[in-house]
Structures are given as C-alpha cells and as structure tokens.
Amino acid sequence: MTGRVKSPPHEIMNKLILYPQLLFESENYLEHYLSIEKVLIKSYEEMNLINTTDAVKLLESVESVQKENIIKSAYSNMNDIAFSIEKAIDENLGKPVLNWHLDRSRNDLQACGQLMYARDSWISLIQKFQKLLIELWALASKYKRTIMPGYTHFQTAQVMSVGFYLTAISRHIQKTLEKMVLCLESINESCPLGSGAMSGQEYPWDLEMMANDLGFDSFGGHALVCVASRDWILEIGESLAFFGVNMSRFMTDMMNWGSSEYQFLHFPDELVGISSSMPQKRNLPILERIRGKTSHLISYYQDFMLGQRNTPFSNLVEVSKESSSNLPRLFQTANDIADLLLLIFENIDFNINKMKKRCEEDYLGGFTLANYLSAKEGIPYRKAQVISGEFITLALNEGIAPKKLPILLLSQVCERYGYKQLQMNQATLVDIFDPEKALFVKITAGSVHPEEVNEIIECQKRQNAEFIRRFNRITEKVTEAKQRLNKWVPGKENVND
C-alpha cells in the first residue's frame, strides 16, 4: 500500500489494535464506507475525471464488496478497512481505472463513516426514548388523582400524586430528547467528506452535493475542523450524561418506594429477584441495574473528554478511534437503560391503599392550615405557622389522628396567642387535613392539581411535537438519500434523477 513502509504491522499491534478495530468497522462502518465510495465515484464522473463506462465498472465493483472478503484479505492490507475496501474494489475491476482515488484521503472518509454510524445509532436511540415518553404520559394521566406523600429532606412534606411525579420523569426525558435532537441537527450540518487529509482538496469537488447525497444538510465548512474535531461525540456524551444524572435520582426514589419500609410499588415475579438465604424477600435488582448503568453514561462522557484533552488539533487515531472507543458501549448502555425503563413502566403497579394510608397518617395539611389562619382568620403568617406547628405537636402527643383533629384544640392554641373566636368550623379543619382534597388546593401552573397535571402533559406533548418534526425532517432526508443513492446510475446528471 505504500513505498514508505516495507513490513506489515507487528503481530501484537494486529492482535491488540488493528484487527479488533477492523472487525468493528467491518460490522458497523462498511455500509457507510461503500455509500461514500458511490458518492465519490459519482463526483469523479461529474468532474469528468472518469467516464461513464468506468463509473459503471466501479459501481458494480463497489456493490460486489463483501464483509467476509474484507476480513479475509485484511492482513495483507495492514488490517486497515479503507485499504482493504480499496484493494477489493480494485481487484474486482480487473483493469485499473486511471483517476479513481485521485485527490482523496483516508482521513475525511473515516471521519464521515464514523459520523454516519453515530447518526444512525443516535436516530434509533431517539426513537426509543420517544416510546418511553409516550408510555410515561399514559401512566401519568392514569394516576393523576392517585395520592402519595411527597418528601423534602427525606421527611413527608405534602401530598402529591403519582401522575404529578411521573410528569417530572417525563419532563426530564423530554429535555433529554431536546438535547438529542439538537445534537442530531449539529451532526447533520457537518459532513466531513471533501476535507481531504486536513487542508482541503485540489480538484473542484461539489462538497454540498456530496453531503446531500449522504443525507447531510451541508458540508462541515472547515477542512481541519471536519477531520480533527469530534465535538459531536462530546455532544452525544453530554446529552446522555445529563439523562443519567437525574434518572439515577428517580431510580433512587423508586428503590426506596419499592422497599419493605414503604411498599408503594409492586412488580410481577418476572421482574424481581430473591435472597439466597432469606425466603421472605422480594428484591428489585432491575431498579439497581438501571441506576448502576446510569453511572456508565457519565463515565463514558468523561472518557471522551479525557481522550481528547491535551491532544493536537489535527487528525489523530488517538482522537478519532481511541478516545471514541467506548462510543458503541455508550449507545448500548443507553439502549439497555431505555429498554429496562420501558419494561418497568409497562409493568409497575402502585399500591394505592398503602400510599393513601401513609398520607392519612401524617399531618400533611399543616401548610394549608397556616395559610388559612393567616388569610381567613387575620393572624400574621409567621404567627399562624407557629400556631399550626404547636397544634400538630399537641395532637401528636395526645395520639390524635389527622382526620380526627378537634377544632376545640386549635381554638385553645389560638387563644394562648391572643386570637379568640375562630371563624373556622370542624368541617373546614377536617377538609384541610384530608389528603384526598389536598391535590385540589394547589391551583398554580405546574402544580399537583389534576387539571394542572393534564396541562403539564399537554404542554410536554406540544413541545415534543416540535422536536419530533425537526427529527423527522432529518430521518426522512437520510432515508431518501439512501434510496436515491441505491438507484443511482452513472451517466445521469445527479443522484436525484
């Protein structure tokens, strides 16, 4: 392949670096490399560097390339997939085509192939996250009136609904999808093909046309950036690290709520584990696995950053291959998490009675009581909160349940602070501490009120519709480009004919 190096790579380099890389690229990049090759042949013909007859021969040769043959002949081609593809095409031709491979570099070809692989993987992951979002909206709507205790500082604080909580998870996934679509748009604006080794090319390649032929919106615009930068890997990593951080927090809540102390959640037998020594236990390893996997998302992102840090801004295998070697694992881990989340949300069963009972056991109307005493009874707010706190303390000491709190006791506390003749009656006090009515007391946008939960869901759907519109534009462009390229026949003016 070169007059500069006479010996093949050392067997240890082959074993540890080159051959594993070739196997991976043969499995994941080959189809993209061959698509790129077709676009380059088309460009050679349009620049009149090859004639239509030679273009037909080259196209037929490209379409006859097989993964098995690439792997089989790789050793004699330095275990490099680009060299192996070139050799396979050349051998299929029989007679060399003079200008084929003129004014080309492996650098932009590999950068483009890698980007096309990432684009396809990213599109697939976005579609999976979208399914998860739809499932969460359905769950949130179903449980928008199902009460449960909300917590601050690990203490029961106020009544919320299961649906309200689930819309917090769906909002996080929606924000992740927003980042993912922005990242996809960034990827699709940055086709590297035509950048050459690092400084551009010497013949009049139509870079915008080549980008369009591969489903991209445009050429990347800067030859050095196209082959040296892997910003898109960092953007992918950042999106999923963002997703992983809050998802780990949601899983922590569910692990707590699924414990024997809370018993708010239940899963079918096929989603639980057992103890080897304690037969009474039903463990929830699926939640632990999801939370554990979120740490890998963050680790891979840090790996991408560290792999690029302090490297020269040029084409390097350290950046293009070594620093991104965990990209497939990132995609696989994110897909696994999405599949597991979908599984738990399709099978989760909330213990409605347990959650309601827990709400009834605590004095979760304390905040509402303080508001009432201030707004309706004319007691300054801070004093009203002191009175509410002392009233609840006395009830606790006397073992009075929240639903049986006597108005007489509240009146006595108020009198001690100089406030006599409360207008509140017993029925109002009972209502204040009725957890079933607590959802309807909150009236602000984004609150636990069932109508507001509905609005949260609808708002998320409206926002998501715009992201999906932008996402669909790109996926349709990519699909159409593949279809056009597969139908391309040399001799026509452009691939759209």
Side-chain angles (χ1 to χ4, degrees), residues 457-469:
I457 295 170
E458 292 306 311
C459 181
Q460 289 179 5
K461 287 181 178 180
R462 290 192 296 270
Q463 292 171 342
N464 189 64
E466 172 60 18
F467 301 139
I468 295 305
R469 183 192 64 78

Side-chain angles (χ1 to χ4, degrees), residues 336-352:
D336 289 348
I337 291 173
D339 287 339
L340 291 170
L341 285 171
L342 193 59
L343 188 62
I344 67 169
F345 288 128
E346 286 174 343
N347 290 277
I348 196 168
D349 182 26
F350 292 95
N351 193 330
I352 296 172

Side-chain angles (χ1 to χ4, degrees), residues 218-259:
S218 63
F219 168 64
H222 194 291
L224 178 59
V225 171
C226 282
V227 297
S229 173
R230 290 300 183 274
D231 285 352
W232 57 267
I233 293 178
L234 301 182
E235 291 172 6
I236 285 173
E238 188 276 331
S239 297
L240 293 179
F242 167 82
F243 166 74
V245 170
N246 273 348
M247 191 52 62
S248 74
R249 299 178 68 189
F250 292 128
M251 288 303 102
T252 298
D253 282 345
M254 291 199 169
M255 289 162 69
N256 286 332
W257 297 343
S259 70

